[in-house]
Amino acid sequence: MDHGHLHIDRSTGDIDPASRAALRAARQGERRPSKGGRMPVSVYIPTPFRKMTGNRQHVEAEGADVREVLADVDKQFPGFHSLVFGTGDAVPAHINIYVNKQEITSLDGIATKVRDGDEVAVIPAMAGGAGDQPRRRIGALTPEQVDRYSRHIIMPQVGPSGQRKIMESSVLIIGAGGLGSPIAVYLALAGIGRIGIVDFDTVDISNLQRQILHQNDDIGKPKALSAKETINAYNPDVEVTTHQVPITSENALAIIGGYDYVINGADNFAARYLVNDACYFLKKPLIDGSILLFDGQVTVYLPDKGCYRCLYPSPPPPGMVPSCAEAGVLGALCGTVGTIQATEALKLILGVGETLHGRLLLYDALAMEFRQVRIRKDPKCVLCGEPDDPSAKVTELIDYDAFCGGAFGHTNEEEQKAADATSALREQSKV
Amino acid sequence: MPEIHVRLFAGLHDLVGRRELVLSMPDGATIGQLRDRLGEEYPIVQPLLSTLVCAVDEEYVAPEHVLRDGEDVALIPPISGGS
């Protein structure tokens, strides 16, 4: 749907007073005189919130202003308010609210008056279902593109239309590290239209044993930026969006909402649960992969057909499963697991073959064995199912550091452990 | 007593020091009980037990699954690495 044409700089929230007044005047002009009292308005519910409303796209609500209307929706569908607003009362940064397609920060904010027949829309920023996104459209391929992608195009499973699908799609890669590197490189070569890279770290010399997005000259550079340069050196047609921030409960919906597919190369449990939950709420396919030492695991979660929590309902106690920084990882293993993830993403985009959905692929590089386990949606999953204890149901993003015991993510403690291990290695190698 | 072949994955085989083992379980024992037995024999894996994915003959099963002689059990811990 069209969200109106007014664009406000969300980083500052600025809109000058003159245009605010003009907008308000224009809006008043197009409406009937106020009759006062509480009137029914239509509230547009975007895909991620529709599970609250029994999948209804529009609900009727009453109220004199936006605040009252949303309170009425919450009365009809308890939990709606906390799903949209979280724990606070202010409109979160990732949520835009529109009255008749005008964003309310340009009007009177949450106190914007509404009348009979108005439409109020609650939209996660840049987000919503696929239908809420302006999609990249590719016309006929240029002769250069036909040459570049000829080995794809000659395959009957791809062809020119499949190649266009690839070029029209957007993929978000969580982490520009061991897994993110091969994923990004192969998706770039394939001509994915837009690749998003989430990584707030900088390139360290210890990354270069495996992270093929980065080279010697990149040491000290932000990884997202180094990734963008490498991707565009391979294929200048790819639009790269960098997100140089840690992914958090505050920004996950806004970031993930902007893409068709999500590929997980996160390096800690907190981020894995966060990305899983956000993908569930936004109905995004998630191609999940994880690595440690000589082992890899890969699977695909499709919207409403099971999730990471169905498989692993709770994280292990802190410190029980080490990170790659603590325990190490075979560099080439990243390539194997990451290229499997990239392969699954391309199959989903093309709509060909059987993906790993419903199967967990286990790769043991020491034994050089691939095995798989058939997995399924847990009907009692706290996220995507109906738990025995309804209060256990996860209805919004939570505090994932607390959920995982606080010892994951880029904590000082973990960095210190890795630094200690490295200096111990240096000492040993002197002997 | 059913003889159960157990295959340990990822972090689990590093902790136990073996990739495969055979456990004799009493008749009617469940895979949940087998998991607990592993914890008794290798206390180091105890904190991981509740997080394990249990599979029998390459299919995910609930902890209540009753084991039968000759079944092939896989115990799979989560791993989180990506960088």
Side-chain angles (χ1 to χ4, degrees):
Chain A
M1 66 174 273
D2 180 9
H3 300 151
H5 303 293
L6 187 79
H7 294 288
I8 294 148
D9 183 356
R10 289 209 72 92
S11 61
T12 62
D14 279 354
I15 175 164
D16 67 274
S19 34
R20 188 188 298 267
L23 280 165
R24 199 181 292 130
R27 188 169 169 273
Q28 296 296 345
E30 70 193 29
R31 11 217 52 237
R32 282 163 284 130
S34 168
K35 286 183 261 172
R38 301 169 79 89
M39 298 290 184
V41 301
S42 170
V43 181
Y44 171 79
I45 310 292
T47 330
F49 301 143
R50 240 171 254 170
K51 66 188 172 65
M52 294 297 304
T53 59
N55 270 332
R56 285 163 63 191
Q57 191 185 41
H58 283 90
V59 301
E60 295 269 296
E62 293 193 337
D65 60 20
V66 171
R67 186 198 314 275
E68 289 182 14
V69 166
L70 294 181
D72 188 44
V73 176
D74 185 63
K75 204 154 60 174
Q76 300 177 54
F77 305 100
F80 178 80
H81 189 276
S82 63
L83 183 62
V84 175
F85 285 69
T87 46
D89 269 336
V91 181
H94 67 273
I95 301 285
N96 288 321
I97 298 177
Y98 300 82
V99 173
N100 296 340
K101 301 187 178 172
Q102 237 169 58
E103 220 275 353
I104 58 167
T105 49
S106 65
L107 304 168
D108 289 325
I110 195 92
T112 301
K113 297 267 180 267
V114 291
R115 298 207 188 82
D116 194 6
D118 278 357
E119 187 198 57
V120 173
V122 183
I123 311 285
M126 320 191 297
D132 294 339
Q133 275 294 323
R135 286 197 63 84
R136 168 188 291 262
R137 285 281 166 228
I138 302 289
L141 301 178
T142 66
E144 191 198 314
Q145 286 168 336
V146 171
D147 285 347
R148 178 184 286 268
Y149 303 117
S150 58
R151 300 302 186 275
H152 271 162
I153 295 170
I154 55 174
M155 292 196 286
Q157 294 85 349
V158 184
S161 66
Q163 185 58 44
R164 276 200 299 275
K165 279 188 202 165
I166 293 172
M167 295 164 75
E168 284 171 356
S169 59
S170 58
V171 178
L172 180 68
I173 303 171
I174 312 288
L179 292 177
S181 285
I183 294 166
V185 168
Y186 274 103
L187 293 185
L189 298 180
I192 294 286
R194 190 162 63 90
I195 294 179
I197 301 278
V198 185
D199 205 310
F200 68 97
D201 220 347
T202 51
V203 179
D204 181 82
I205 191 166
S206 67
N207 302 146
L208 301 184
Q209 158 259 17
R210 63 198 179 282
Q211 299 182 6
I212 59 170
L213 276 173
H214 318 298
Q215 302 185 340
N216 235 31
D217 288 347
D218 298 319
I219 292 170
K221 198 183 278 182
K223 280 189 180 177
L225 188 62
S226 167
K228 182 183 168 110
E229 289 172 0
T230 305
I231 289 169
N232 283 140
Y234 272 118
N235 188 346
D237 285 351
V238 178
E239 182 189 338
V240 181
T241 305
T242 58
H243 303 274
Q244 289 183 48
V245 288
I247 190 156
T248 65
S249 302
E250 285 69 44
N251 64 21
L253 293 174
I255 294 174
I256 290 174
Y259 297 86
D260 303 328
Y261 300 90
V262 180
I263 312 190
N264 209 346
D267 64 353
N268 62 80
F269 283 108
R272 288 185 180 279
Y273 282 96
L274 166 61
V275 169
N276 174 69
D277 292 5
C279 285
Y280 168 75
F281 289 129
L282 294 169
K283 296 188 187 295
K284 302 288 180 186
L286 171 62
I287 298 113
D288 203 29
S290 53
I291 47 174
L292 183 65
L293 294 114
F294 288 88
D295 286 279
Q297 298 182 358
V298 194
T299 189
V300 170
Y301 301 111
L302 298 178
D304 289 328
K305 292 183 177 169
C307 75
Y308 186 68
R309 285 179 185 263
C310 295
L311 195 58
Y312 298 116
S314 54
M320 222 20 230
V321 176
S323 68
C324 294
E326 291 162 358
V329 62
L330 186 74
L333 179 97
C334 303
T336 312
V337 173
T339 50
I340 290 171
Q341 290 178 274
T343 303
E344 293 301 277
L346 289 166
K347 281 161 58 188
L348 280 172
I349 292 165
L350 292 167
V352 299
E354 304 293 325
T355 69
L356 281 171
H357 166 64
R359 293 181 287 159
L360 175 66
L361 182 69
L362 304 159
Y363 171 43
D364 178 344
L366 276 182
M368 194 42 81
E369 278 183 347
F370 286 91
R371 284 167 176 263
Q372 49 177 295
V373 169
R374 281 186 296 279
I375 56 177
R376 53 176 169 243
K377 180 178 161 115
D378 176 4
K380 293 182 177 173
C381 175
V382 292
L383 182 70
C384 70
E386 296 303 328
D388 286 334
D389 171 11
S391 70
K393 176 98 174 157
V394 177
T395 56
E396 60 181 337
L397 299 180
I398 60 169
D399 179 345
Y400 293 88
D401 286 325
F403 177 63
C404 293
F408 294 100
H410 283 254
T411 59
N412 292 334
E413 196 185 334
E414 184 179 297
E415 304 239 315
Q416 192 53 50
K417 266 193 200 165
D420 289 349
T422 308
S423 44
L425 282 176
R426 271 198 215 106
E427 287 304 312
Q428 279 174 24
S429 57
K430 280 186 199 154
V431 181
Chain B
M1 295 217 297
E3 297 256 297
I4 310 295
H5 302 269
V6 184
R7 179 175 278 264
L8 308 175
F9 284 87
L12 205 52
H13 68 59
D14 296 308
L15 288 172
V16 170
R18 303 176 59 173
R19 231 186 213 83
E20 285 176 71
L21 34 100
V22 177
L23 292 177
S24 292
M25 297 297 292
D27 282 326
T30 65
I31 199 162
Q33 288 166 330
L34 177 141
R35 196 178 53 180
D36 294 342
R37 164 80 77 79
L38 188 76
E40 286 158 22
E41 295 194 13
Y42 302 91
I44 191 170
V45 305
Q46 210 111 43
L48 268 186
L49 295 180
S50 66
T51 69
L52 297 180
V53 166
C54 304
V56 170
D57 294 339
E58 303 192 338
E59 178 138 12
Y60 174 91
V61 293
E64 303 78 45
H65 172 87
V66 175
L67 296 164
R68 283 190 298 262
D69 197 33
E71 274 183 339
D72 211 0
V73 166
L75 298 179
I76 305 154
I79 54 176
S80 67
S83 69

